[in-house]
Amino acid sequence: MVRPMTAPTGRDLAPPAADATRLIAGTHHDPHAILGRHAGIVRAFHPDASSVDVLVGGEVMTMAALGGGLWAAELPATAGAAPYRLRFGFPDGNDWQRDDPYRFLPTLGELDLHLIAEGTHERLYDVLGAHPRTIDGVAGVAFAVWAPGARGVRIVGDFDRWDGRMTPMRSLGPTGVWELFVPDIGPGELYKYEVLGADGSLRLKADPLGFAMQLRPESASRVWQLGHAWGDDAWLAARATREPTRSPLAIYEVHLGSWMRHEDGSWLGYAELAPLLAEHCRRFSFTHVELLPVAEHPFDGSWGYQVTGYYAPTARFGSPDEFAAFVDTLHQAGIGVIVDWVPAHFPRDDFGLRRFDGTALYEHEDPRLGEHPDWGTLIFNYGRPEVRNFLVANALFWLDAYHVDGLRVDAVASMLYLDYSRKTGEWVPNRYGGRENLEAIAFLREVNERCYGRHPGTFTVAEESTAFGGITRPTYAGGLGFGMKWDMGWMHDHLDYFERDPVHRRWHHDRLTFRGLYQYSEHFVLPLSHDEVVHGKGSMLRKMPGDEWQRFANLRCLLADLYTQPGGKLLFMGTELAPWEEWSHEWSLPWHLADGPMRAGLARYLADLGALYRFDSALWAADPDPEGFAWIDATDADASVYAFLRGDPVSGRRVAVVMNLTPLPRLGYRIGLPSGGRWREALNSDAEAYGGSNMGNLGGVDTVDLAWHGQPFSAELTLPPLAVVILRPAD
């Protein structure tokens, strides 16, 4: 039974007039200095309430109205420091009870604030954002956001009827962090920050460090407590001992929204996708899945590359815990997970990072530094410590919270150069007068140092298309410190070659061999990515010349070239189905094509090629070393034949790769080999099972003691038309 208390008298309950005015206007930097309990006086704020009571120790005290929505009461000395609740009454007869947010101490300590101000907090996501906690026995959520230019920040959500007047936050001094513990709420609550900007604007902002968000077109953040029970300890332990550049690396690039869908066209969820993807990857011996960006984004057509929720897996396919379970399932199936990470730019959506506190907070004020002319997006200010910290911590977050194995960093070239895609007069030189973005370079080095230092066995991959040196050189040696870099040169040269009619290929043989001049300058991944099958470029099959049989034969050759060259492999989803139409994010891959005879043959071929690659160390163990690759013959342009050796110096395993890239069979074609005896046909892309003409060498060839191509032995081969023959010593 709640009993009325007798209010003490004789004290002025009102705060200083200036403080009250600022609180009512929503511009007070420290509402806790007015609201809550102060020397026995409790104050509350609600401009729509008709009465407010304090509930403490089983008793009730009615608060006095001070005007402007402020209420106050003096508690008797017997109340002491006992916890209390507030009850707001309204003219319609309803009431609202809650514990008072303004009776709690700050939830961020001095060390956290120091690291935030310094820009070095590696676990920024543990202190900023929204975190369910229990304080003094009261369950609630601790909110914290960086907005140094704001005149006021409030939290809005279902819990306060999206009325920002109810929950103003306090500023924690020069750090620019605003903080508030809101009791009586928990995981699942929707919220935003109502930011009164330095420019006088009032904006509703999603939480930059929110762990979950609503599904578009809605854009609120959602309180989430990460709680997946991981079962991938064995995977993580093995990963920590693995050297990615000396291990098989066959990556299946996937856009989750269009890999496979329900019959009605709706998305599969993370829980549905995980076992299907794991089975598919195991069939083709892929070692990793690479996901197009899964951080939350509002526009499907951006494929995830315009991120608004850097710490939130997209709600399109389920909850954060379901995404964690997705990764866990793949790990337990022996498949690694790489995510596409986008620190190069962010979109202009008003609920996102743009002018977050009424200033160019995450971006640059000067459009010559802060806007991407190609994409209409904004560029991060990498020179600001807090912005750099936001991004570095985000990279670590995906590795830490979701056990991700690698980050493919998008659009690195656009970060490295101040004049990227700009004309004279549209960019600002660095302090030395050059075009290099020194702050972005320092940021990328820091990201790589932190990732490799904190999570051994993980790796980073740069999508970088220029001749910038040292992308994969260690930072201690002056490089950027990436683990690998996409070999865009290989991709463009080889696609240019394979798209040509074979009658013209003799004049472009250098496209096949040019890579030999630079292939050890960096650690490379060879990509046949999503970018090559969109925007009118056509599908991989459609790129190939000739009739249907020749197109499939050419595609088999291109895939063999991908799998046998030094470097990691990346293949965009759907290539195994050989669709005629290019990829679209709007619908599922055409799985109905899989049963056609030519496509079924291609799938068998890719499965055998993947298995050969994954389980023969000659094709990957010495990828970074010149000893792992040698030309047999790179000069036979007239026949459009080229041949090379791959080897593992430690185990002594070797394979010879011979490609005939014309539709004419080559009979009695002699190639040099490094050892005598029988060389077995490990793979022949012209096999009937793969859709070929079944021409070959009856399983193998025997060498003779005749030096050829600079090798001590040689053998005569039958080279099928538009085919690859892979040989290895029978012993």
Side-chain angles (χ1 to χ4, degrees):
M1 175 89 180
V2 176
R3 302 190 307 276
M5 299 171 61
T6 302
T9 60
R11 294 183 63 187
D12 183 4
L13 303 181
D19 282 340
T21 299
R22 290 165 57 205
L23 178 73
I24 294 168
T27 59
H28 203 295
H29 71 286
D30 187 12
H32 292 69
I34 303 171
L35 304 177
R37 178 160 43 197
H38 300 276
I41 295 175
V42 173
R43 298 190 193 94
F45 179 72
H46 200 312
D48 297 331
S50 57
S51 65
V52 183
D53 297 325
V54 180
L55 311 178
V56 57
E59 299 183 343
V60 62
M61 173 171 285
T62 299
M63 304 182 81
L66 303 180
L70 268 171
W71 302 79
E74 182 181 357
L75 299 182
T78 55
Y84 63 89
R85 292 176 66 82
L86 300 172
R87 181 173 62 197
F88 299 94
F90 301 98
D92 62 2
N94 290 315
D95 63 48
W96 172 38
Q97 283 193 32
R98 72 169 181 178
D99 211 306
D100 188 1
Y102 300 97
R103 72 177 184 86
F104 295 93
L105 294 173
T107 55
L108 279 75
E110 290 298 322
L111 177 59
D112 286 327
L113 292 173
H114 173 74
L115 294 175
I116 291 170
E118 194 176 63
T120 58
H121 205 308
E122 290 187 345
R123 297 185 67 87
L124 190 67
Y125 45 88
D126 283 343
V127 291
L128 297 185
H131 299 281
R133 292 181 183 170
T134 299
I135 300 178
D136 297 336
V138 178
V141 176
F143 294 93
V145 64
W146 179 61
R151 296 164 57 189
V153 182
R154 285 92 76 160
I155 304 168
V156 294
D158 291 336
F159 47 86
D160 60 9
R161 298 185 179 181
W162 297 88
D163 187 341
R165 299 173 299 173
M166 300 302 98
T167 45
M169 305 177 78
R170 69 174 139 206
S171 172
L172 298 180
T175 62
V177 174
W178 298 75
E179 177 271 349
L180 185 66
F181 176 73
V182 179
D184 303 333
I185 64 172
E189 291 280 358
L190 296 174
Y191 70 99
K192 281 187 177 181
Y193 296 114
E194 188 177 81
V195 182
L196 180 59
D199 56 358
S201 63
L202 190 65
R203 292 185 172 92
L204 282 175
K205 293 290 189 179
D207 191 344
L209 282 94
F211 286 173
M213 289 184 70
Q214 285 181 294
L215 177 62
R216 57 94 179 108
E218 305 301 327
S219 58
S221 299
R222 188 183 298 276
V223 177
W224 200 267
Q225 179 81 62
L226 298 177
H228 175 69
W230 289 89
D232 62 349
D233 289 351
W235 170 269
L236 297 182
R239 184 185 75 181
T241 66
R242 189 181 302 127
E243 170 51 58
T245 61
R246 296 183 183 277
S247 303
L249 183 64
I251 301 166
Y252 187 56
E253 189 186 30
V254 173
H255 177 262
L256 287 177
S258 59
W259 182 69
M260 184 180 290
R261 294 193 177 191
H262 292 117
E263 289 186 4
D264 64 1
S266 61
W267 294 309
L268 298 180
Y270 292 122
E272 298 168 293
L273 286 163
L276 298 174
L277 262 176
E279 180 183 2
H280 193 71
C281 288
R282 288 169 68 90
R283 176 188 177 190
F284 293 103
S285 294
F286 289 111
T287 63
H288 291 74
V289 166
E290 180 174 310
L291 304 177
L292 270 64
V294 291
E296 195 58 83
H297 52 282
F299 177 45
D300 293 356
S302 78
W303 311 332
Y305 288 99
Q306 294 193 9
V307 178
T308 50
Y310 273 81
Y311 287 79
T314 179
R316 287 167 174 79
F317 315 114
S319 72
D321 285 343
E322 288 172 324
F323 177 71
F326 169 90
V327 176
D328 201 355
T329 298
L330 287 166
H331 280 178
Q332 293 187 51
I335 309 298
V337 178
I338 304 165
V339 296
D340 220 329
W341 187 52
V342 191
H345 61 125
F346 61 92
R348 297 172 177 270
D349 299 78
D350 201 50
F351 66 86
L353 298 179
R354 183 177 73 90
R355 301 197 74 83
F356 190 85
D357 63 356
T359 70
L361 185 63
Y362 287 88
E363 67 270 38
H364 296 266
E365 191 71 59
D366 188 336
R368 296 176 299 170
L369 294 169
E371 296 183 6
H372 261 305
D374 289 346
W375 307 318
T377 52
L378 302 175
I379 301 171
F380 285 102
N381 183 352
Y382 307 108
R384 187 161 191 167
E386 299 94 337
V387 174
R388 190 171 65 247
N389 194 177
F390 170 80
L391 291 170
V392 171
N394 184 242
L396 295 173
F397 172 77
W398 290 99
L399 302 180
D400 179 36
Y402 292 111
H403 295 199
V404 161
D405 303 284
L407 302 174
R408 181 266 194 183
V409 184
D410 180 61
V412 171
S414 75
M415 301 170 68
L416 295 177
Y417 297 103
L418 295 164
D419 64 344
Y420 182 85
S421 197
R422 298 177 188 272
K423 300 175 183 177
T424 302
E426 296 179 345
W427 59 283
V428 180
N430 63 36
R431 60 181 178 270
Y432 302 113
R435 58 195 284 258
E436 296 78 15
N437 189 332
L438 303 179
E439 289 80 12
I441 290 169
F443 157 70
L444 291 170
R445 286 173 172 159
E446 183 178 354
V447 166
N448 288 315
E449 288 172 352
R450 296 290 183 270
C451 289
Y452 281 93
R454 282 270 303 274
H455 296 279
T458 62
F459 56 92
T460 57
V461 183
E463 187 219 9
E464 203 283 319
S465 55
T466 75
F468 191 97
I471 297 291
T472 61
R473 189 184 307 142
T475 58
Y476 61 76
L480 294 187
F482 282 94
M484 283 162 274
K485 166 183 170 172
W486 274 20
D487 190 345
M488 311 292 274
W490 171 86
M491 180 189 70
H492 290 303
D493 284 349
H494 285 241
L495 286 179
D496 176 77
Y497 180 90
F498 275 93
E499 289 176 21
R500 295 179 182 274
D501 190 295
V503 73
H504 302 301
R505 287 177 175 175
R506 61 186 298 186
W507 309 113
H508 303 276
H509 198 70
D510 61 320
R511 296 289 193 274
L512 299 176
T513 60
F514 181 75
R515 182 175 189 255
L517 299 177
Y518 68 83
Q519 67 187 31
Y520 297 109
S521 62
E522 304 277 7
H523 297 312
F524 285 112
V525 169
L526 282 61
L528 292 176
S529 74
H530 66 279
D531 282 326
E532 304 315 307
V533 291
V534 291
H535 301 320
K537 296 179 183 178
S539 69
M540 283 294 162
L541 183 69
R542 195 165 194 160
K543 293 178 192 293
M544 301 297 109
D547 58 24
E548 182 187 49
W549 188 93
Q550 291 177 337
R551 288 179 189 272
F552 275 92
N554 273 301
L555 183 55
R556 292 193 297 270
C557 289
L558 175 62
L559 292 170
D561 192 61
L562 168 70
Y563 273 84
T564 56
Q565 292 274 345
K569 326 298 176 190
L570 182 139
L571 191 64
F572 184 55
M573 66 180 199
T575 306
E576 67 274 29
L577 298 173
W580 184 248
E581 302 299 329
E582 63 182 25
W583 170 66
S584 171
H585 70 277
E586 295 181 343
W587 49 75
S588 170
L589 293 180
W591 293 100
H592 63 279
L593 297 178
D595 294 333
M598 292 298 291
R599 289 174 171 84
L602 178 70
R604 282 191 291 271
Y605 171 72
L606 185 58
D608 289 350
L609 181 62
L612 174 66
Y613 166 74
R614 185 163 186 174
F615 298 110
D616 195 325
S617 63
L619 291 171
W620 45 260
D623 272 358
D625 306 322
E627 294 81 8
F629 176 90
W631 289 111
I632 295 174
D633 185 13
T635 63
D636 193 358
D638 286 343
S640 294
V641 172
Y642 84 131
F644 53 86
L645 292 166
R646 298 298 314 281
D648 175 3
V650 175
S651 69
R653 297 184 68 87
R654 287 177 292 192
V655 298
V657 181
V658 188
M659 298 194 185
N660 174 22
L661 300 175
T662 69
L664 300 175
R666 308 286 177 184
L667 307 180
Y669 191 93
R670 184 171 296 277
I671 66 162
L673 293 168
S675 61
R678 185 162 183 81
W679 283 64
R680 186 167 57 85
E681 230 178 32
L683 191 77
N684 180 344
S685 69
D686 194 51
E688 184 177 12
Y690 305 147
S693 63
N694 219 32
M695 180 178 289
N697 297 277
L698 301 178
V701 294
D702 295 302
T703 65
V704 296
D705 294 336
L706 175 62
W708 205 260
H709 292 140
Q711 303 291 337
F713 302 92
S714 62
E716 287 189 348
L717 297 182
T718 293
L719 300 183
L722 292 173
V724 178
V725 174
I726 301 177
L727 304 171
R728 59 184 169 196
D731 59 356

